[in-house]
Structures are given as structure tokens and as C-alpha cells.
Amino acid sequence: MKKVFISVIAVVVLVVGIYFVLNIKPPKPTITIENNTVEVAQGSYCWGGLINGQCVDKISPPDIIKHQELKPVVVSPGAELKIKFNRKPQENTLVAYIWFSNDEIENAPLNDNVLLVPKEKGVYIYSVSAHWEKGSSSYAFVIEVK
């Protein structure tokens, strides 16, 4: 009987530990374009856990791309970029922006988590952000239209 009780306690502790590890940070998106997966960097976020929460303020998306040395994915003009999360964000909270510099930002319209990349050749830095019940998060990535 004592062994069963200890086993049950060990399983409960293990499950609770896994829950905390998996829910400490916001979900990371999977971004695909023309059958390529785009590397995504974590931006600023605020996320609440069962016991505690944290807010992390990061540098701007252009600086994140530079600091993490992310390489742009080469895409065709006007290609469709698809954004998916393993945990669905709250409705109407997913937004995207194109960063031309730290001072020049433009809204990038999304339609069902899909955005069309520009038709003009060049390197484009994007940020996306969303909200969930536990908090919000932003992400940065870079593409090159050729």
C-alpha cells in the first residue's frame, strides 16, 4: 500500500513538473512560405504561469534579426506566408508588421493567418504578435523577395 501511495505521489509530481515546464513561455509560431519554414526569433512577451508570471522586453525586431544572425528565406514576389500556432491565439489578436527601420513600421494585412509578401524585390523584416489567455507575445523573422 505504501509503495502504491509513493508511486501515485511521484506521478503527480512528475505531471505537475511537466506542466510547469511546458507552460512557462508562450507558444512559438510555425511560419511557412513556398514549402519553406522560416526561422522565428522570440520577441517581447508577458506570460502568466500557474504560480508566477513574467514580462520580458526585447530589442526591436530589426535588432533581434541582426543580433541572432537570422538569414532571410528567399521567396517569390507576392508569395503567401502562413502563420500557425500549436495553441490558437485569441480571436482577432494576431497582427503583423513590416519593419523598414526602428522608426518606420507598416501594418501587414493578414487574411486567415496568411499574408502576401511584397512584389518588390528586397529584404523584409516582419514581426507578428498575438494574445492568449495567459498573455501575449511577439516574434520576428526575415525574408528576401527575389
PDB file of all heavy atoms in Angstrom, residues 44-81:
ATOM      1  N   SER A  44       9.420  40.409 -27.512  1.00  0.00           N
ATOM      2  CA  SER A  44       8.913  40.738 -26.173  1.00  0.00           C
ATOM      3  C   SER A  44       7.663  39.924 -25.860  1.00  0.00           C
ATOM      4  O   SER A  44       6.890  39.597 -26.762  1.00  0.00           O
ATOM      5  CB  SER A  44       8.570  42.222 -26.098  1.00  0.00           C
ATOM      6  OG  SER A  44       9.722  43.005 -26.320  1.00  0.00           O
ATOM      7  N   TYR A  45       7.481  39.611 -24.573  1.00  0.00           N
ATOM      8  CA  TYR A  45       6.283  38.884 -24.179  1.00  0.00           C
ATOM      9  C   TYR A  45       5.980  39.092 -22.700  1.00  0.00           C
ATOM     10  O   TYR A  45       6.856  39.442 -21.916  1.00  0.00           O
ATOM     11  CB  TYR A  45       6.406  37.380 -24.476  1.00  0.00           C
ATOM     12  CG  TYR A  45       7.467  36.661 -23.681  1.00  0.00           C
ATOM     13  CD1 TYR A  45       7.163  36.051 -22.467  1.00  0.00           C
ATOM     14  CD2 TYR A  45       8.770  36.561 -24.150  1.00  0.00           C
ATOM     15  CE1 TYR A  45       8.136  35.386 -21.744  1.00  0.00           C
ATOM     16  CE2 TYR A  45       9.745  35.895 -23.433  1.00  0.00           C
ATOM     17  CZ  TYR A  45       9.426  35.295 -22.232  1.00  0.00           C
ATOM     18  OH  TYR A  45      10.381  34.631 -21.520  1.00  0.00           O
ATOM     19  N   CYS A  46       4.718  38.876 -22.356  1.00  0.00           N
ATOM     20  CA  CYS A  46       4.261  38.775 -20.972  1.00  0.00           C
ATOM     21  C   CYS A  46       3.467  37.484 -20.890  1.00  0.00           C
ATOM     22  O   CYS A  46       2.561  37.257 -21.699  1.00  0.00           O
ATOM     23  CB  CYS A  46       3.357  39.940 -20.589  1.00  0.00           C
ATOM     24  SG  CYS A  46       4.245  41.436 -20.144  1.00  0.00           S
ATOM     25  N   TRP A  47       3.831  36.636 -19.935  1.00  0.00           N
ATOM     26  CA  TRP A  47       3.204  35.321 -19.861  1.00  0.00           C
ATOM     27  C   TRP A  47       2.996  34.935 -18.409  1.00  0.00           C
ATOM     28  O   TRP A  47       3.910  35.040 -17.604  1.00  0.00           O
ATOM     29  CB  TRP A  47       4.090  34.293 -20.562  1.00  0.00           C
ATOM     30  CG  TRP A  47       3.338  33.067 -20.967  1.00  0.00           C
ATOM     31  CD1 TRP A  47       3.404  31.839 -20.370  1.00  0.00           C
ATOM     32  CD2 TRP A  47       2.406  32.946 -22.028  1.00  0.00           C
ATOM     33  NE1 TRP A  47       2.570  30.977 -21.010  1.00  0.00           N
ATOM     34  CE2 TRP A  47       1.939  31.623 -22.038  1.00  0.00           C
ATOM     35  CE3 TRP A  47       1.895  33.834 -22.974  1.00  0.00           C
ATOM     36  CZ2 TRP A  47       1.005  31.162 -22.954  1.00  0.00           C
ATOM     37  CZ3 TRP A  47       0.976  33.385 -23.891  1.00  0.00           C
ATOM     38  CH2 TRP A  47       0.535  32.064 -23.879  1.00  0.00           C
ATOM     39  N   GLY A  48       1.793  34.508 -18.082  1.00  0.00           N
ATOM     40  CA  GLY A  48       1.463  34.126 -16.724  1.00  0.00           C
ATOM     41  C   GLY A  48       1.442  32.622 -16.563  1.00  0.00           C
ATOM     42  O   GLY A  48       0.844  31.912 -17.362  1.00  0.00           O
ATOM     43  N   GLY A  49       2.096  32.138 -15.522  1.00  0.00           N
ATOM     44  CA  GLY A  49       2.081  30.718 -15.204  1.00  0.00           C
ATOM     45  C   GLY A  49       1.102  30.446 -14.077  1.00  0.00           C
ATOM     46  O   GLY A  49       0.417  31.351 -13.604  1.00  0.00           O
ATOM     47  N   LEU A  50       1.053  29.194 -13.643  1.00  0.00           N
ATOM     48  CA  LEU A  50       0.147  28.810 -12.574  1.00  0.00           C
ATOM     49  C   LEU A  50       0.513  29.501 -11.260  1.00  0.00           C
ATOM     50  O   LEU A  50      -0.350  29.963 -10.525  1.00  0.00           O
ATOM     51  CB  LEU A  50       0.175  27.288 -12.402  1.00  0.00           C
ATOM     52  CG  LEU A  50      -0.876  26.687 -11.489  1.00  0.00           C
ATOM     53  CD1 LEU A  50      -2.273  27.021 -11.985  1.00  0.00           C
ATOM     54  CD2 LEU A  50      -0.695  25.185 -11.406  1.00  0.00           C
ATOM     55  N   ILE A  51       1.813  29.611 -10.993  1.00  0.00           N
ATOM     56  CA  ILE A  51       2.264  30.225  -9.748  1.00  0.00           C
ATOM     57  C   ILE A  51       2.799  31.636  -9.969  1.00  0.00           C
ATOM     58  O   ILE A  51       2.586  32.521  -9.166  1.00  0.00           O
ATOM     59  CB  ILE A  51       3.345  29.350  -9.074  1.00  0.00           C
ATOM     60  CG1 ILE A  51       2.719  28.030  -8.643  1.00  0.00           C
ATOM     61  CG2 ILE A  51       3.979  30.052  -7.897  1.00  0.00           C
ATOM     62  CD1 ILE A  51       3.684  27.043  -8.039  1.00  0.00           C
ATOM     63  N   ASN A  52       3.521  31.845 -11.056  1.00  0.00           N
ATOM     64  CA  ASN A  52       4.097  33.170 -11.305  1.00  0.00           C
ATOM     65  C   ASN A  52       4.027  33.505 -12.786  1.00  0.00           C
ATOM     66  O   ASN A  52       3.703  32.672 -13.614  1.00  0.00           O
ATOM     67  CB  ASN A  52       5.539  33.241 -10.794  1.00  0.00           C
ATOM     68  CG  ASN A  52       6.458  32.269 -11.521  1.00  0.00           C
ATOM     69  OD1 ASN A  52       6.031  31.515 -12.391  1.00  0.00           O
ATOM     70  ND2 ASN A  52       7.714  32.285 -11.172  1.00  0.00           N
ATOM     71  N   GLY A  53       4.341  34.728 -13.101  1.00  0.00           N
ATOM     72  CA  GLY A  53       4.363  35.184 -14.485  1.00  0.00           C
ATOM     73  C   GLY A  53       5.584  36.051 -14.709  1.00  0.00           C
ATOM     74  O   GLY A  53       6.294  36.411 -13.763  1.00  0.00           O
ATOM     75  N   GLN A  54       5.821  36.353 -15.978  1.00  0.00           N
ATOM     76  CA  GLN A  54       6.961  37.216 -16.264  1.00  0.00           C
ATOM     77  C   GLN A  54       6.711  38.017 -17.536  1.00  0.00           C
ATOM     78  O   GLN A  54       5.999  37.587 -18.423  1.00  0.00           O
ATOM     79  CB  GLN A  54       8.244  36.399 -16.393  1.00  0.00           C
ATOM     80  CG  GLN A  54       8.277  35.433 -17.551  1.00  0.00           C
ATOM     81  CD  GLN A  54       9.609  34.693 -17.620  1.00  0.00           C
ATOM     82  OE1 GLN A  54      10.575  35.071 -16.992  1.00  0.00           O
ATOM     83  NE2 GLN A  54       9.649  33.629 -18.394  1.00  0.00           N
ATOM     84  N   CYS A  55       7.307  39.193 -17.566  1.00  0.00           N
ATOM     85  CA  CYS A  55       7.321  40.027 -18.751  1.00  0.00           C
ATOM     86  C   CYS A  55       8.773  40.212 -19.155  1.00  0.00           C
ATOM     87  O   CYS A  55       9.619  40.501 -18.306  1.00  0.00           O
ATOM     88  CB  CYS A  55       6.681  41.394 -18.490  1.00  0.00           C
ATOM     89  SG  CYS A  55       4.887  41.319 -18.309  1.00  0.00           S
ATOM     90  N   VAL A  56       9.035  40.014 -20.438  1.00  0.00           N
ATOM     91  CA  VAL A  56      10.387  40.145 -20.969  1.00  0.00           C
ATOM     92  C   VAL A  56      10.331  41.136 -22.116  1.00  0.00           C
ATOM     93  O   VAL A  56       9.597  40.930 -23.083  1.00  0.00           O
ATOM     94  CB  VAL A  56      10.935  38.783 -21.450  1.00  0.00           C
ATOM     95  CG1 VAL A  56      12.305  38.944 -22.071  1.00  0.00           C
ATOM     96  CG2 VAL A  56      10.965  37.791 -20.306  1.00  0.00           C
ATOM     97  N   ASP A  57      11.087  42.207 -21.985  1.00  0.00           N
ATOM     98  CA  ASP A  57      11.129  43.244 -23.017  1.00  0.00           C
ATOM     99  C   ASP A  57      12.405  43.054 -23.841  1.00  0.00           C
ATOM    100  O   ASP A  57      13.499  43.081 -23.298  1.00  0.00           O
ATOM    101  CB  ASP A  57      11.113  44.625 -22.370  1.00  0.00           C
ATOM    102  CG  ASP A  57      10.816  45.732 -23.347  1.00  0.00           C
ATOM    103  OD1 ASP A  57      10.306  45.447 -24.450  1.00  0.00           O
ATOM    104  OD2 ASP A  57      11.104  46.891 -23.016  1.00  0.00           O
ATOM    105  N   LYS A  58      12.240  42.831 -25.134  1.00  0.00           N
ATOM    106  CA  LYS A  58      13.383  42.571 -26.015  1.00  0.00           C
ATOM    107  C   LYS A  58      13.667  43.793 -26.880  1.00  0.00           C
ATOM    108  O   LYS A  58      12.883  44.727 -26.947  1.00  0.00           O
ATOM    109  CB  LYS A  58      13.081  41.368 -26.922  1.00  0.00           C
ATOM    110  CG  LYS A  58      12.782  40.092 -26.183  1.00  0.00           C
ATOM    111  CD  LYS A  58      13.983  39.226 -26.126  1.00  0.00           C
ATOM    112  CE  LYS A  58      13.667  37.900 -25.468  1.00  0.00           C
ATOM    113  NZ  LYS A  58      14.324  36.792 -26.080  1.00  0.00           N
ATOM    114  N   ILE A  59      14.787  43.736 -27.582  1.00  0.00           N
ATOM    115  CA  ILE A  59      15.152  44.790 -28.526  1.00  0.00           C
ATOM    116  C   ILE A  59      14.208  44.736 -29.732  1.00  0.00           C
ATOM    117  O   ILE A  59      13.417  43.801 -29.869  1.00  0.00           O
ATOM    118  CB  ILE A  59      16.638  44.643 -28.947  1.00  0.00           C
ATOM    119  CG1 ILE A  59      16.914  43.232 -29.477  1.00  0.00           C
ATOM    120  CG2 ILE A  59      17.552  44.987 -27.782  1.00  0.00           C
ATOM    121  CD1 ILE A  59      18.360  42.972 -29.899  1.00  0.00           C
ATOM    122  N   SER A  60      14.297  45.705 -30.615  1.00  0.00           N
ATOM    123  CA  SER A  60      13.392  45.785 -31.761  1.00  0.00           C
ATOM    124  C   SER A  60      13.605  44.618 -32.719  1.00  0.00           C
ATOM    125  O   SER A  60      14.688  44.020 -32.757  1.00  0.00           O
ATOM    126  CB  SER A  60      13.618  47.099 -32.499  1.00  0.00           C
ATOM    127  OG  SER A  60      14.875  47.057 -33.162  1.00  0.00           O
ATOM    128  N   PRO A  61      12.591  44.263 -33.513  1.00  0.00           N
ATOM    129  CA  PRO A  61      12.752  43.172 -34.482  1.00  0.00           C
ATOM    130  C   PRO A  61      13.978  43.307 -35.399  1.00  0.00           C
ATOM    131  O   PRO A  61      14.699  42.318 -35.571  1.00  0.00           O
ATOM    132  CB  PRO A  61      11.433  43.177 -35.254  1.00  0.00           C
ATOM    133  CG  PRO A  61      10.444  43.599 -34.202  1.00  0.00           C
ATOM    134  CD  PRO A  61      11.180  44.676 -33.432  1.00  0.00           C
ATOM    135  N   PRO A  62      14.267  44.485 -35.987  1.00  0.00           N
ATOM    136  CA  PRO A  62      15.489  44.561 -36.804  1.00  0.00           C
ATOM    137  C   PRO A  62      16.756  44.229 -36.007  1.00  0.00           C
ATOM    138  O   PRO A  62      17.656  43.554 -36.513  1.00  0.00           O
ATOM    139  CB  PRO A  62      15.514  46.016 -37.291  1.00  0.00           C
ATOM    140  CG  PRO A  62      14.085  46.435 -37.287  1.00  0.00           C
ATOM    141  CD  PRO A  62      13.494  45.743 -36.092  1.00  0.00           C
ATOM    142  N   ASP A  63      16.804  44.671 -34.747  1.00  0.00           N
ATOM    143  CA  ASP A  63      17.959  44.375 -33.911  1.00  0.00           C
ATOM    144  C   ASP A  63      18.008  42.897 -33.504  1.00  0.00           C
ATOM    145  O   ASP A  63      19.077  42.312 -33.403  1.00  0.00           O
ATOM    146  CB  ASP A  63      17.973  45.266 -32.672  1.00  0.00           C
ATOM    147  CG  ASP A  63      18.246  46.728 -33.012  1.00  0.00           C
ATOM    148  OD1 ASP A  63      18.842  46.995 -34.079  1.00  0.00           O
ATOM    149  OD2 ASP A  63      17.846  47.604 -32.224  1.00  0.00           O
ATOM    150  N   ILE A  64      16.837  42.289 -33.273  1.00  0.00           N
ATOM    151  CA  ILE A  64      16.778  40.854 -32.964  1.00  0.00           C
ATOM    152  C   ILE A  64      17.338  40.050 -34.138  1.00  0.00           C
ATOM    153  O   ILE A  64      18.144  39.141 -33.956  1.00  0.00           O
ATOM    154  CB  ILE A  64      15.333  40.409 -32.642  1.00  0.00           C
ATOM    155  CG1 ILE A  64      14.875  40.977 -31.298  1.00  0.00           C
ATOM    156  CG2 ILE A  64      15.221  38.884 -32.638  1.00  0.00           C
ATOM    157  CD1 ILE A  64      13.406  40.734 -30.997  1.00  0.00           C
ATOM    158  N   ILE A  65      16.899  40.396 -35.354  1.00  0.00           N
ATOM    159  CA  ILE A  65      17.357  39.692 -36.565  1.00  0.00           C
ATOM    160  C   ILE A  65      18.873  39.804 -36.682  1.00  0.00           C
ATOM    161  O   ILE A  65      19.568  38.815 -36.935  1.00  0.00           O
ATOM    162  CB  ILE A  65      16.676  40.262 -37.823  1.00  0.00           C
ATOM    163  CG1 ILE A  65      15.149  40.091 -37.754  1.00  0.00           C
ATOM    164  CG2 ILE A  65      17.258  39.648 -39.091  1.00  0.00           C
ATOM    165  CD1 ILE A  65      14.643  38.687 -37.673  1.00  0.00           C
ATOM    166  N   LYS A  66      19.384  41.009 -36.465  1.00  0.00           N
ATOM    167  CA  LYS A  66      20.831  41.241 -36.570  1.00  0.00           C
ATOM    168  C   LYS A  66      21.578  40.497 -35.463  1.00  0.00           C
ATOM    169  O   LYS A  66      22.574  39.815 -35.728  1.00  0.00           O
ATOM    170  CB  LYS A  66      21.109  42.744 -36.501  1.00  0.00           C
ATOM    171  CG  LYS A  66      22.555  43.115 -36.689  1.00  0.00           C
ATOM    172  CD  LYS A  66      22.719  44.630 -36.664  1.00  0.00           C
ATOM    173  CE  LYS A  66      24.166  45.035 -36.812  1.00  0.00           C
ATOM    174  NZ  LYS A  66      24.348  46.483 -36.746  1.00  0.00           N
ATOM    175  N   HIS A  67      21.107  40.623 -34.234  1.00  0.00           N
ATOM    176  CA  HIS A  67      21.780  40.014 -33.083  1.00  0.00           C
ATOM    177  C   HIS A  67      21.807  38.485 -33.175  1.00  0.00           C
ATOM    178  O   HIS A  67      22.813  37.858 -32.860  1.00  0.00           O
ATOM    179  CB  HIS A  67      21.097  40.452 -31.789  1.00  0.00           C
ATOM    180  CG  HIS A  67      21.676  39.850 -30.555  1.00  0.00           C
ATOM    181  ND1 HIS A  67      22.899  40.224 -30.052  1.00  0.00           N
ATOM    182  CD2 HIS A  67      21.203  38.880 -29.732  1.00  0.00           C
ATOM    183  CE1 HIS A  67      23.160  39.503 -28.974  1.00  0.00           C
ATOM    184  NE2 HIS A  67      22.139  38.694 -28.756  1.00  0.00           N
ATOM    185  N   GLN A  68      20.688  37.889 -33.614  1.00  0.00           N
ATOM    186  CA  GLN A  68      20.612  36.431 -33.701  1.00  0.00           C
ATOM    187  C   GLN A  68      21.107  35.897 -35.048  1.00  0.00           C
ATOM    188  O   GLN A  68      21.077  34.693 -35.283  1.00  0.00           O
ATOM    189  CB  GLN A  68      19.195  35.954 -33.414  1.00  0.00           C
ATOM    190  CG  GLN A  68      18.804  36.200 -31.984  1.00  0.00           C
ATOM    191  CD  GLN A  68      17.551  35.450 -31.591  1.00  0.00           C
ATOM    192  OE1 GLN A  68      17.025  34.619 -32.310  1.00  0.00           O
ATOM    193  NE2 GLN A  68      17.053  35.752 -30.399  1.00  0.00           N
ATOM    194  N   GLU A  69      21.523  36.826 -35.906  1.00  0.00           N
ATOM    195  CA  GLU A  69      22.065  36.482 -37.223  1.00  0.00           C
ATOM    196  C   GLU A  69      21.136  35.564 -38.016  1.00  0.00           C
ATOM    197  O   GLU A  69      21.561  34.582 -38.618  1.00  0.00           O
ATOM    198  CB  GLU A  69      23.453  35.846 -37.076  1.00  0.00           C
ATOM    199  CG  GLU A  69      24.463  36.786 -36.436  1.00  0.00           C
ATOM    200  CD  GLU A  69      25.842  36.162 -36.227  1.00  0.00           C
ATOM    201  OE1 GLU A  69      25.998  34.934 -36.411  1.00  0.00           O
ATOM    202  OE2 GLU A  69      26.766  36.926 -35.889  1.00  0.00           O
ATOM    203  N   LEU A  70      19.835  35.917 -38.006  1.00  0.00           N
ATOM    204  CA  LEU A  70      18.870  35.151 -38.785  1.00  0.00           C
ATOM    205  C   LEU A  70      19.067  35.440 -40.270  1.00  0.00           C
ATOM    206  O   LEU A  70      19.214  36.593 -40.672  1.00  0.00           O
ATOM    207  CB  LEU A  70      17.437  35.504 -38.387  1.00  0.00           C
ATOM    208  CG  LEU A  70      17.000  35.156 -36.969  1.00  0.00           C
ATOM    209  CD1 LEU A  70      15.528  35.497 -36.779  1.00  0.00           C
ATOM    210  CD2 LEU A  70      17.251  33.707 -36.646  1.00  0.00           C
ATOM    211  N   LYS A  71      19.066  34.394 -41.064  1.00  0.00           N
ATOM    212  CA  LYS A  71      19.220  34.531 -42.516  1.00  0.00           C
ATOM    213  C   LYS A  71      17.846  34.560 -43.162  1.00  0.00           C
ATOM    214  O   LYS A  71      16.957  33.783 -42.790  1.00  0.00           O
ATOM    215  CB  LYS A  71      20.030  33.366 -43.080  1.00  0.00           C
ATOM    216  CG  LYS A  71      21.413  33.220 -42.463  1.00  0.00           C
ATOM    217  CD  LYS A  71      22.283  34.405 -42.770  1.00  0.00           C
ATOM    218  CE  LYS A  71      23.651  34.250 -42.137  1.00  0.00           C
ATOM    219  NZ  LYS A  71      24.182  35.468 -41.594  1.00  0.00           N
ATOM    220  N   PRO A  72      17.652  35.442 -44.147  1.00  0.00           N
ATOM    221  CA  PRO A  72      16.345  35.516 -44.798  1.00  0.00           C
ATOM    222  C   PRO A  72      16.051  34.287 -45.652  1.00  0.00           C
ATOM    223  O   PRO A  72      16.949  33.714 -46.259  1.00  0.00           O
ATOM    224  CB  PRO A  72      16.440  36.773 -45.661  1.00  0.00           C
ATOM    225  CG  PRO A  72      17.894  37.027 -45.835  1.00  0.00           C
ATOM    226  CD  PRO A  72      18.593  36.429 -44.663  1.00  0.00           C
ATOM    227  N   VAL A  73      14.784  33.895 -45.662  1.00  0.00           N
ATOM    228  CA  VAL A  73      14.316  32.851 -46.565  1.00  0.00           C
ATOM    229  C   VAL A  73      13.978  33.542 -47.880  1.00  0.00           C
ATOM    230  O   VAL A  73      13.261  34.545 -47.889  1.00  0.00           O
ATOM    231  CB  VAL A  73      13.078  32.136 -45.988  1.00  0.00           C
ATOM    232  CG1 VAL A  73      12.471  31.188 -47.000  1.00  0.00           C
ATOM    233  CG2 VAL A  73      13.447  31.405 -44.712  1.00  0.00           C
ATOM    234  N   VAL A  74      14.500  33.015 -48.984  1.00  0.00           N
ATOM    235  CA  VAL A  74      14.255  33.598 -50.301  1.00  0.00           C
ATOM    236  C   VAL A  74      12.892  33.123 -50.801  1.00  0.00           C
ATOM    237  O   VAL A  74      12.601  31.923 -50.791  1.00  0.00           O
ATOM    238  CB  VAL A  74      15.373  33.209 -51.295  1.00  0.00           C
ATOM    239  CG1 VAL A  74      15.071  33.748 -52.682  1.00  0.00           C
ATOM    240  CG2 VAL A  74      16.724  33.721 -50.796  1.00  0.00           C
ATOM    241  N   VAL A  75      12.062  34.104 -51.236  1.00  0.00           N
ATOM    242  CA  VAL A  75      10.699  33.810 -51.687  1.00  0.00           C
ATOM    243  C   VAL A  75      10.394  34.558 -52.979  1.00  0.00           C
ATOM    244  O   VAL A  75      11.089  35.503 -53.344  1.00  0.00           O
ATOM    245  CB  VAL A  75       9.653  34.185 -50.611  1.00  0.00           C
ATOM    246  CG1 VAL A  75       9.904  33.422 -49.330  1.00  0.00           C
ATOM    247  CG2 VAL A  75       9.645  35.666 -50.336  1.00  0.00           C
ATOM    248  N   SER A  76       9.331  34.130 -53.633  1.00  0.00           N
ATOM    249  CA  SER A  76       8.872  34.789 -54.857  1.00  0.00           C
ATOM    250  C   SER A  76       8.038  36.013 -54.523  1.00  0.00           C
ATOM    251  O   SER A  76       7.380  36.054 -53.478  1.00  0.00           O
ATOM    252  CB  SER A  76       8.016  33.820 -55.679  1.00  0.00           C
ATOM    253  OG  SER A  76       8.723  32.647 -55.958  1.00  0.00           O
ATOM    254  N   PRO A  77       8.016  37.003 -55.416  1.00  0.00           N
ATOM    255  CA  PRO A  77       7.161  38.175 -55.200  1.00  0.00           C
ATOM    256  C   PRO A  77       5.691  37.776 -55.058  1.00  0.00           C
ATOM    257  O   PRO A  77       5.196  36.935 -55.814  1.00  0.00           O
ATOM    258  CB  PRO A  77       7.372  39.010 -56.462  1.00  0.00           C
ATOM    259  CG  PRO A  77       8.672  38.538 -57.028  1.00  0.00           C
ATOM    260  CD  PRO A  77       8.789  37.098 -56.648  1.00  0.00           C
ATOM    261  N   GLY A  78       5.015  38.333 -54.066  1.00  0.00           N
ATOM    262  CA  GLY A  78       3.587  38.084 -53.866  1.00  0.00           C
ATOM    263  C   GLY A  78       3.263  36.720 -53.276  1.00  0.00           C
ATOM    264  O   GLY A  78       2.093  36.325 -53.245  1.00  0.00           O
ATOM    265  N   ALA A  79       4.249  35.980 -52.778  1.00  0.00           N
ATOM    266  CA  ALA A  79       4.007  34.647 -52.205  1.00  0.00           C
ATOM    267  C   ALA A  79       3.168  34.744 -50.940  1.00  0.00           C
ATOM    268  O   ALA A  79       3.107  35.787 -50.288  1.00  0.00           O
ATOM    269  CB  ALA A  79       5.342  33.960 -51.910  1.00  0.00           C
ATOM    270  N   GLU A  80       2.517  33.633 -50.589  1.00  0.00           N
ATOM    271  CA  GLU A  80       1.696  33.571 -49.380  1.00  0.00           C
ATOM    272  C   GLU A  80       2.505  33.045 -48.211  1.00  0.00           C
ATOM    273  O   GLU A  80       3.084  31.963 -48.272  1.00  0.00           O
ATOM    274  CB  GLU A  80       0.490  32.655 -49.594  1.00  0.00           C
ATOM    275  CG  GLU A  80      -0.575  33.242 -50.472  1.00  0.00           C
ATOM    276  CD  GLU A  80      -1.829  32.386 -50.483  1.00  0.00           C
ATOM    277  OE1 GLU A  80      -1.818  31.236 -49.980  1.00  0.00           O
ATOM    278  OE2 GLU A  80      -2.844  32.882 -50.996  1.00  0.00           O
ATOM    279  N   LEU A  81       2.508  33.794 -47.128  1.00  0.00           N
ATOM    280  CA  LEU A  81       3.203  33.429 -45.908  1.00  0.00           C
ATOM    281  C   LEU A  81       2.139  32.985 -44.903  1.00  0.00           C
ATOM    282  O   LEU A  81       1.197  33.731 -44.627  1.00  0.00           O
ATOM    283  CB  LEU A  81       3.968  34.645 -45.393  1.00  0.00           C
ATOM    284  CG  LEU A  81       4.894  34.439 -44.228  1.00  0.00           C
ATOM    285  CD1 LEU A  81       6.153  35.256 -44.458  1.00  0.00           C
ATOM    286  CD2 LEU A  81       4.239  34.834 -42.949  1.00  0.00           C
TER     287      LEU A  81
END
